[in-house]
Amino acid sequence: MATSINDIDMAATVWMIASTALVFLMIPGLGYFYGGMVRSKNALSLVFLCLMALAVVTLQWVLWGYSLALSETATNPFIGNLKHWLFLDVEYTPHPNAPTVPGVVYAVYQCMFAALTPGLAIGGAAERIRILPTIFYIFIWSTLVYDPIAYWVWAPSGWLYKMGVLDFAGGCAVETASGFAALAFYFVLGKRKGFGEEKWQPHNYLNIILGCSFLYIGWFGFNAGAASLASGRAGIAFMTTSLAAAAAGMTWVGLAYRVEHKFSSFHFCSGAVAGMVCVTPAASFVSTWASLPMGVIAGVCCFYMVEANLRLGIDDCIDVFAVHGIGGILGVFLTGIFANKHVIGLDGSESDGGLINGNARMLYVQLAALAASAAWSFVVSFVLLKAMNYIPMFRLRVDPDAEEHGVDFAELGEAGYSFINDVLKMHMPHSRRSDSSSFHESASIQHPHKDMPMVKEAPSGTISAASGRPQPSSDTKSP
């Protein structure tokens, strides 16, 4: 579709810039969300890696990522060209996917999607991954996995795009790809030391809530901004995102309450994220009411996927596969059922809709997109991780001592909570300071200028690091 600078709408441009800022908030939000779930000795490294993903992918996106993923002049059905490498000719002329905003605005908006995706996948390797190899992994993975899948789905010449796949804001390229990449991390790196033998719990529920809040807010830009118009379809995407999050969050809390007889902020956050993941590919393709059953289905399926991982002994540390992988699969498939041609046509787009409009073919197209995205992400991620492990410099897993002491100190030489030591000294009686070493250890107090300390986490007795629910151990039977 030909585009012209005469089609640029200032309201749409301002909305996409604002949406870009909202999606940016999701990246540090993801770091806090992940950091709160793990043990305190590993929290800082996850926040750091999420921010590094933003920096690395921004460079990759400008260098060649945008051109490979979204070039409007490429004719290859599988990957773009290098017409826009170094952002050449990415200026004012709109992209066909966003004909009412300047091309550079659309490119920066899409950069936030590309930066968030490897950050999601890294959660599958939490508490046992080295920093330097991960930086290289992010760059290579974005080029080999994210860019091709994004091209298939969103580029005008992409083979899934030409098939008519419906993926509004990243069910394939973001959610499914990151979930299956996280699963590849598990198969290559293995379980965390002590998994199934020790009992862990999230170390900071407030950080989980803070991170979830940033994700919640940012997701409105993630989904509603993808409409590229300050219009009714953006409003529908906004509402479907909110309703799916509410439905999934309440469903997850209810399912957990049946087992634990307690309400949990962590369960609500996990459910809300699952709901937003599920509705992402459908956000502005479905009627508002459809996001309610989508949220409930996501809450139930993702909750029981977490339970299944625990029973099977799969160390899906931060539930990336259970929430993003399974949630993405559900979302893309359910879009094929609930997509409404009348909603899609609000901005003049043409579509036969999904199964509710009698278009059963859409289910086959959606399943093809899911199979291709999941298989490509898992296989390429697995091969890449295996290859890197054969190179000593790029070996991904930290050594056992570093894992025991904590990735934060071993890889960064820093700790997220070193200020606690000074606070304790100020408030503890002088006579007790000499006897406080064990308390220091349990509080995970570290100092980067001292020898590497042993950081011990107080056992919870009931809750796993990832799910907030019982984790199998040698002395505890699974419910």
Side-chain angles (χ1 to χ4, degrees):
M1 180 177 66
T3 57
S4 168
I5 60 175
N6 296 324
D7 297 326
I8 291 175
D9 180 82
M10 288 298 105
T13 301
V14 170
W15 170 238
M16 183 159 280
I17 292 173
S19 297
T20 302
L22 289 173
V23 180
F24 168 82
L25 284 177
M26 297 177 70
I27 297 171
L30 181 67
Y32 274 99
F33 189 61
Y34 280 179
M37 293 185 193
V38 299
R39 290 167 288 179
S40 58
K41 61 186 179 182
N42 301 308
L44 183 62
S45 61
L46 286 173
V47 181
F48 176 79
L49 281 173
C50 286
L51 293 177
M52 283 302 297
L54 173 62
V56 171
V57 173
T58 298
L59 295 175
Q60 188 268 355
W61 195 247
V62 171
L63 180 60
W64 57 47
Y66 173 71
S67 195
L68 292 176
L70 292 166
S71 176
E72 76 283 8
T73 62
T75 57
N76 188 311
F78 299 104
I79 193 67
N81 55 29
L82 294 178
K83 178 190 175 183
H84 296 303
W85 80 291
L86 289 178
F87 260 36
L88 295 177
D89 298 322
V90 181
E91 297 170 349
Y92 210 62
T93 303
H95 189 279
N97 290 357
T100 59
V101 301
V104 67
V105 174
Y106 176 71
V108 174
Y109 174 71
Q110 285 292 334
C111 180
M112 296 299 106
F113 281 59
L116 179 67
T117 306
L120 291 169
I122 288 167
E127 301 199 307
R128 58 198 187 279
I129 193 168
R130 295 174 60 213
I131 301 295
L132 180 62
T134 305
I135 292 173
F136 283 91
Y137 172 84
I138 290 170
F139 188 95
I140 299 170
W141 187 90
S142 296
T143 302
L144 298 182
V145 177
Y146 180 84
D147 293 345
I149 297 176
Y151 183 85
W152 301 345
V153 174
W154 291 323
S157 295
W159 67 276
L160 287 173
Y161 183 95
K162 288 187 173 181
M163 285 179 65
V165 68
L166 294 177
D167 184 358
F168 186 70
C172 293
V174 178
E175 307 300 352
T176 303
S178 63
F180 279 84
L183 188 63
F185 267 120
Y186 165 72
F187 281 106
V188 174
L189 298 186
K191 303 174 184 179
R192 289 168 291 170
K193 184 178 180 181
F195 179 82
E197 301 171 0
E198 303 174 20
K199 302 168 186 175
W200 302 315
Q201 70 173 8
H203 89 279
N204 193 321
Y205 289 91
L206 289 175
N207 277 359
I208 294 173
I209 295 172
L210 176 64
C212 179
S213 299
F214 279 129
L215 290 172
Y216 215 132
I217 294 169
W219 228 299
F220 293 126
F222 194 88
N223 284 351
S228 76
L229 292 167
S231 66
R233 284 192 68 185
I236 290 174
F238 204 103
M239 191 61 224
T240 54
T241 302
S242 183
L243 184 56
M250 294 293 289
T251 299
W252 197 303
V253 167
L255 291 171
Y257 187 85
R258 291 178 62 252
V259 177
E260 300 174 7
H261 307 294
K262 296 283 186 181
F263 291 105
S264 168
S265 59
F266 184 29
H267 287 311
F268 176 77
C269 290
S270 297
V273 170
M276 290 186 286
V277 167
C278 183
V279 83
T280 289
S284 190
F285 290 150
V286 300
S287 300
T288 301
W289 66 265
S291 61
L292 180 59
M294 292 183 73
V296 172
I297 292 170
V300 171
C301 293
C302 293
F303 176 89
Y304 283 111
M305 189 67 232
V306 172
E307 294 290 335
N309 282 341
L310 292 174
R311 291 177 182 275
L312 294 171
I314 296 175
D315 189 9
D316 185 12
C317 179
I318 308 180
D319 301 335
V320 182
F321 176 71
V323 172
H324 294 274
I326 299 303
I329 288 173
L330 289 170
V332 174
F333 180 75
L334 292 174
T335 300
I337 295 176
F338 292 116
N340 189 325
K341 63 181 180 181
H342 302 295
V343 174
I344 298 172
L346 287 177
D347 63 356
S349 301
E350 294 183 2
S351 172
D352 293 328
L355 189 62
I356 64 169
N357 296 131
N359 183 19
R361 174 185 173 276
M362 185 52 62
L363 291 178
Y364 297 104
V365 174
Q366 299 298 98
L367 287 173
L370 284 174
S373 302
W376 182 264
S377 179
F378 180 81
V379 172
V380 176
S381 300
F382 184 87
V383 171
L384 175 59
L385 291 169
K386 278 289 190 180
M388 291 181 69
N389 268 341
Y390 281 113
I391 306 172
M393 177 182 175
F394 295 126
R395 176 179 49 83
L396 283 143
R397 184 159 185 159
V398 297
D399 60 53
D401 286 342
E403 188 172 348
E404 184 73 24
H405 293 118
V407 176
D408 289 357
F409 194 90
E411 290 290 306
L412 298 177
E414 300 171 340
Y417 301 96
S418 58
F419 68 91
I420 296 177
N421 192 30
D422 296 331
V423 175
L424 288 173
K425 288 182 178 180
M426 291 174 58
H427 293 280
M428 289 177 61
H430 180 76
S431 61
R432 294 181 57 193
R433 291 179 187 174
S434 60
D435 300 325
S436 61
S437 59
S438 63
F439 183 83
H440 288 180
E441 287 186 348
S442 65
S444 300
I445 296 171
Q446 306 168 352
H447 195 289
H449 303 296
K450 295 182 180 180
D451 292 336
M452 184 181 292
M454 180 70 73
V455 180
K456 297 180 179 179
E457 302 289 336
S460 69
T462 57
I463 304 177
S464 76
S467 67
R469 287 182 302 285
Q471 174 179 303
S473 67
S474 57
D475 59 350
T476 303
K477 295 181 179 180
S478 299

